[in-house]
Amino acid sequence: MALPEWLVKEIDEVGDYPAFAGVDELERGLRTLAAGYPEITTLQRVGTSRHGEPLLCLTIDGEPGDPTALVFGLPHPNEPIGGLTALHLAARLCADPGLRARLRHRWRIIACIDPDGLRLNEGWLAGPFTREHYARHFYRPAGPDQVEWTFPLDYKDAYFDAALPETQALMRLIDSDRPDLVCSLHNSELGGVYYYLNRAEPPLHRALQALPAHVGLPLDRGEPEAPYITRLDDAIFQGTSISRAYDYVTGLGEPWTSSAGDNTASYAGRYGALTLVTELPYWTSDTADDDGPAGTGYASALAAHARALADLSSLMADTIEAVSGALMVPDSPFWRASRSFATMMASAARSARSRSTSPEADRPATVAEVSSLAEATHSFRLRYGGILLRALDGELAVGNTRPAVRAARERVAARHAEWVAGDALLGEYRTIPIRQLVATQYGALLAAAEHVVGR
């Protein structure tokens, strides 16, 4: 599909970025726009983070009867592309009345919905953009601490009603606005570009699939993030309630161990909103969209992935057990995350092992499938091993020099160094310029907004 000329122009005019933006820069950006365009904007504090940060929403007026779009960045605080995308979108809408008229929306834009978590990632936002530097300064919250996954849930025996203050702010906006379009600005880590829509919208699919190639990025034709996810189209998946995951896990005879809730798509879906998630990697390779034969079986690739995740889970669980009676800050965000991801990796290992023995896995694998499984293995090791190291370093930083803590830190650091070395051998990763990432996510937002008004 050829992208429309106006959309190509908007994408091509996205400028360069030397680094990702932190909390203070994103807040300044919204305040500057509100001060510069008071006739069409309103800056409103819609909530307060758990650590007392203001949650700011910039409203850009539309015409009476226009649909409403809710756009928010940093639903996961290790995914900062969306902060820059949100600011760029807001700046273009403010500056260009023609763009506002074309898209015909009332816009509600939050550049950062999890400022507390983003501050714990600010060590890597300015680079160097190496895998090791990223992993050693990485933070992703435990499931019950993630804004995206703490919406209310009441499904069979899965129940969650402990919505975070940040999630409650989104819920209030969704309930009051009943938006027609919701864009939760995520990103992935390795591979190619892919999307989630809460329902199939074939005319929009074509534009979303064409966007990455225009900016020089591949579509991701590898594994979906989870086996229960439905593929709507090439590199487009259905984002729905976590109830689908529940049915999949319990259908395998496994217990439901998640302590988190539901997601944005599920909550906004009650009002008929179209929800778009654009997933973009920081690094890519030539294997991301290679659907040729890999020369190996899909079952064996799954089995290798399962073994690696079980090893990671064991290291994390054993370390947590070894220091459990020796911690000075046992409820730090890093320990909460480590406990959560140790459990998650154990569950993921069991799922991958079960899938590897199913009849459906007895087939040749594609290059993209093998690559995405290997990349997931390495990402989880570097990410969650890095969080565990930060938890142990935090204990040392507050003066906890107990032998169990020092021994655990030495053991985990050695394994993490092995994983970093192994990751370097996985393939030739290219670090993607930030401009290409923002341009792709921005283009997807515009395409979705035009689709809503055209539909």
Side-chain angles (χ1 to χ4, degrees):
M1 171 185 173
L3 296 172
E5 184 177 339
W6 73 270
L7 183 55
V8 167
K9 180 175 182 294
E10 285 294 328
I11 296 168
D12 289 349
E13 289 183 355
V14 173
D16 292 327
Y17 295 91
F20 295 105
V23 176
D24 297 333
E25 182 180 348
L26 293 173
E27 180 176 329
R28 282 195 301 272
L30 289 182
R31 292 190 183 278
T32 298
L33 288 170
Y37 298 92
E39 68 283 359
I40 59 168
T41 68
T42 303
L43 188 63
Q44 175 187 7
R45 182 170 179 166
V46 295
T48 305
S49 77
R50 284 156 284 173
H51 291 174
E53 302 266 7
L55 303 176
L56 300 179
C57 177
L58 184 73
T59 301
I60 302 175
D61 295 337
E63 297 297 327
D66 280 352
T68 295
L70 172 62
V71 177
F72 57 95
L74 283 302
H76 288 134
N78 57 291
E79 300 175 0
I81 298 169
L84 295 175
T85 302
L87 277 189
H88 181 78
L89 170 70
R92 286 292 300 127
L93 290 169
C94 286
D96 190 343
L99 183 62
R100 294 198 304 274
R102 173 182 286 279
L103 298 177
R104 289 173 32 216
H105 274 73
R106 173 178 179 256
W107 295 87
R108 305 275 257 170
I109 300 174
I110 301 173
C112 180
I113 193 62
D114 187 0
D116 304 343
L118 179 57
R119 290 200 185 277
L120 296 181
N121 279 283
E122 289 185 345
W124 68 266
L125 298 185
F129 297 112
T130 65
R131 301 276 292 147
E132 181 175 11
H133 184 74
Y134 168 75
R136 286 296 285 118
H137 296 84
F138 174 93
Y139 168 70
R140 185 179 177 93
D145 297 336
Q146 293 182 15
V147 177
E148 182 65 89
W149 290 105
T150 50
F151 286 84
L153 174 66
D154 185 5
Y155 183 72
K156 298 183 180 178
D157 63 351
Y159 187 82
F160 182 89
D161 63 0
L164 302 174
E166 299 87 343
T167 310
Q168 291 177 39
L170 291 176
M171 291 166 60
R172 287 192 293 269
L173 285 174
I174 292 169
D175 289 338
S176 65
D177 293 350
R178 301 191 172 205
D180 302 85
L181 174 64
V182 175
C183 296
S184 180
L185 302 179
H186 288 255
N187 63 257
S188 58
E189 187 172 305
L190 289 165
V193 179
Y194 59 101
Y195 307 90
Y196 289 101
L197 292 171
N198 60 322
R199 59 178 180 260
E201 298 281 347
L204 178 58
H205 298 183
R206 306 287 85 78
L208 296 178
Q209 290 165 332
L211 279 165
H214 179 77
V215 300
L217 298 179
L219 281 176
D220 196 309
R221 292 187 167 91
E223 283 279 290
E225 291 188 75
Y228 54 82
I229 293 174
T230 299
R231 189 186 302 268
L232 298 175
D233 208 329
D234 198 16
I236 299 176
F237 301 93
Q238 186 170 20
T240 56
S241 169
I242 197 65
S243 60
R244 181 168 294 180
Y246 177 97
D247 288 339
Y248 176 81
V249 170
T250 57
L252 294 175
E254 296 284 343
W256 179 248
T257 59
S258 173
S259 55
D262 219 331
N263 58 26
T264 309
S266 175
Y267 194 82
R270 65 184 62 188
Y271 301 117
L274 174 64
T275 301
L276 168 68
V277 173
T278 304
E279 299 274 10
L280 301 128
Y282 305 120
W283 298 277
T284 191
S285 69
D286 294 333
T287 62
D289 58 353
D290 188 343
D291 54 8
T296 189
Y298 184 58
S300 63
L302 277 172
H305 183 58
R307 289 192 297 272
L309 296 190
D311 174 66
L312 170 60
S313 174
S314 294
L315 174 74
M316 297 183 75
D318 291 348
T319 300
I320 292 166
E321 175 64 25
V323 301
S324 61
L327 300 179
M328 294 178 70
V329 282
D331 201 41
S332 78
F334 303 113
W335 283 121
R336 287 171 60 83
S338 293
R339 296 185 192 102
S340 177
F341 292 122
T343 300
M344 182 184 295
M345 290 298 97
S347 176
R350 291 192 297 270
S351 174
R353 188 180 305 115
S354 174
R355 292 166 59 206
S356 72
T357 60
S358 70
E360 292 80 9
D362 186 17
R363 62 171 178 79
T366 68
V367 172
E369 286 173 334
V370 171
S371 175
S372 63
L373 283 168
E375 288 167 353
T377 294
H378 285 258
S379 289
F380 293 153
R381 284 170 167 173
L382 266 59
R383 280 180 168 200
Y384 304 141
I387 292 176
L388 185 58
L389 266 178
R390 292 187 75 177
L392 292 163
D393 286 341
E395 291 293 325
L396 295 174
V398 297
N400 187 353
T401 60
R402 292 183 174 94
V405 172
R406 289 185 288 110
R409 203 278 174 192
E410 183 177 351
R411 184 167 58 251
V412 173
R415 289 298 303 278
H416 198 259
E418 291 176 9
W419 291 336
V420 169
D423 181 72
L425 300 175
L426 186 60
E428 291 295 325
Y429 294 135
R430 299 190 303 275
T431 302
I432 301 171
I434 297 173
R435 190 207 77 81
Q436 291 177 271
L437 302 174
V438 174
T440 304
Q441 196 167 58
Y442 174 59
L445 276 168
L446 299 187
E450 187 183 50
H451 174 76
V452 166
V453 295
R455 186 183 59 196

